[in-house]
């Protein structure tokens, strides 16, 4: 089984585990695991920091600019999960009113503004790289499929986060406690899985190398097998020492 196939099985099993935990955990234990500042959120912070460290180590195929942009976004995501944007500021940092309010310290507004600009630039860089990846290889490229899976998880978590409130505001209904628990478990759990999915793109994997020639298939002459072995040798860019 390929590494990519293992990733899909992991995500499917992980989602089933989240739903099962929402059904069987008691109220106190459920809050310990899935509430703000709970176990899952701590795992998410650690995962984003770990992903940033893997990017910084440089043992991957990403360019320097892409690595720098990815590192910025990883640290920003970890800071957001830790609620730093609420701990160090008095209002939403994405609203112009925050920067225009003289009551907020000037140094704070400058630092926060610089951080927001850096994150926006990093996002633009990675977006352009992602579009280029999709255009060059399409969905045939495993990295493109992993990238779309991570983005799909991100969209799904935002939908799960807002869905209960939207449903109750739109229709005269009240969601049950069980429905809210399952929605919260999926939202928090899948959000923590996003950096783990991105790790597939940066964790070095063992490459296939050319070794001893394979035995000739049944019905294939030794000469043909030798020619195929030579072709594989050139495809693998293997180098042979010059004849003396």
């Amino acid at each position: 089984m390929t590494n990519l196939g293992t990733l899909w099985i992991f995500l499917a099993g992980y989602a089933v585990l989240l739903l099962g935990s929402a059904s069987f955990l008691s109220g106190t234990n459920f809050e310990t695991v899935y509430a703000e500042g709970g176990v899952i959120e701590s795992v998410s912070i650690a995962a984003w920091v770990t992903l940033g460290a893997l990017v910084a180590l440089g043992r991957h195929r990403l360019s320097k600019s892409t690595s720098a942009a990815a590192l910025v976004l990883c640290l920003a995501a970890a800071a957001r999960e830790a609620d730093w944007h609420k701990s160090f500021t008095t209002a939403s940092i994405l609203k112009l009113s925050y920067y225009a309010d003289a009551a907020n310290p000037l140094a704070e507004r400058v630092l926060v503004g610089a951080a927001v600009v850096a994150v926006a630039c990093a996002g633009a860089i990675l977006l352009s790289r992602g579009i280029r990846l999709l255009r060059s290889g399409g969905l045939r490229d495993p990295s493109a499929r992993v990238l779309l899976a991570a983005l799909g998880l991100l969209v799904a978590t935002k939908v799960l986060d807002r869905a209960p409130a939207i449903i109750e505001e739109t229709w005269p209904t009240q969601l049950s406690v069980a429905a809210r628990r399952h929605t919260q478990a999926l939202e928090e759990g899948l959000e923590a899985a996003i950096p783990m999915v991105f790790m597939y793109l940066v964790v070095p994997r063992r490459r296939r190398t050319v070794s001893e020639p394979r035995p000739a298939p049944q019905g294939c002459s030794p000469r043909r097998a030798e020619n195929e072995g030579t072709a594989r040798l050139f495809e693998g860019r293997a180098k042979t020492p010059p004849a003396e």
Side-chain angles (χ1 to χ4, degrees):
M1 180 179 295
T2 64
N3 292 332
L4 192 56
T6 304
L7 177 63
W8 303 141
I9 293 177
F10 164 76
L11 289 176
Y14 180 60
V16 172
L17 180 62
L18 293 173
L19 293 174
S21 67
S23 299
F24 296 109
L25 285 177
S26 64
T28 303
N29 291 334
F30 181 85
E31 291 299 320
T32 301
V33 175
Y34 292 108
E36 292 292 330
V39 174
I40 290 294
E41 189 169 273
S42 299
V43 170
S44 180
I45 295 172
W48 281 114
V49 173
T50 302
L51 178 59
L54 291 173
V55 170
L57 288 175
R59 298 182 62 187
H60 45 69
R61 298 177 298 170
L62 304 178
S63 64
K64 291 183 178 179
S65 60
T66 303
S67 298
L71 180 59
V72 169
L73 285 188
C74 288
L75 296 179
R80 182 190 176 281
E81 287 294 319
D83 290 333
W84 281 16
H85 60 298
K86 297 178 181 178
S87 302
F88 298 102
T89 58
T90 56
S92 175
I93 61 177
L94 298 180
K95 293 182 179 180
L96 293 178
S97 58
Y98 166 77
Y99 302 97
D101 190 354
N104 298 321
L106 178 61
E108 176 186 304
R109 286 180 285 166
V110 171
L111 290 176
V112 171
V116 171
V117 170
V119 172
C121 292
I125 291 173
L126 293 183
L127 179 62
S128 64
R129 299 294 190 275
I131 293 175
R132 184 184 305 174
L133 176 64
L134 291 173
R135 286 182 175 178
S136 61
L139 294 180
R140 293 172 298 178
D141 191 329
S143 297
R145 297 201 294 271
V146 172
L147 180 61
L148 289 179
L151 295 178
L153 284 178
L154 179 61
V155 173
T157 57
K158 298 307 176 185
V159 171
L160 290 169
D161 184 35
R162 294 294 302 154
I166 293 176
I167 290 174
E168 292 183 347
E169 291 174 2
T170 305
W171 292 281
T173 183
Q174 189 74 22
L175 294 179
S176 64
V177 175
R180 285 188 169 275
R181 281 167 59 101
H182 285 80
T183 302
Q184 183 179 353
L186 277 178
E187 188 264 324
E188 294 290 342
L190 293 179
E191 191 174 49
I194 294 174
M196 302 178 193
V197 174
F198 278 123
M199 286 179 191
Y200 179 90
L201 300 177
V202 296
V203 172
R205 293 181 296 279
R206 191 175 178 182
R207 295 185 177 181
R208 186 180 301 173
T209 56
V210 178
S211 56
E212 297 180 359
R214 298 178 182 178
Q218 186 175 2
C220 178
S221 65
R223 172 62 61 183
R224 179 181 175 185
E226 181 181 354
N227 292 338
E228 290 179 353
T230 304
R232 285 196 300 270
L233 206 61
F234 281 110
E235 290 173 357
R237 297 181 181 178
K239 295 181 180 180
T240 55
E244 296 182 357

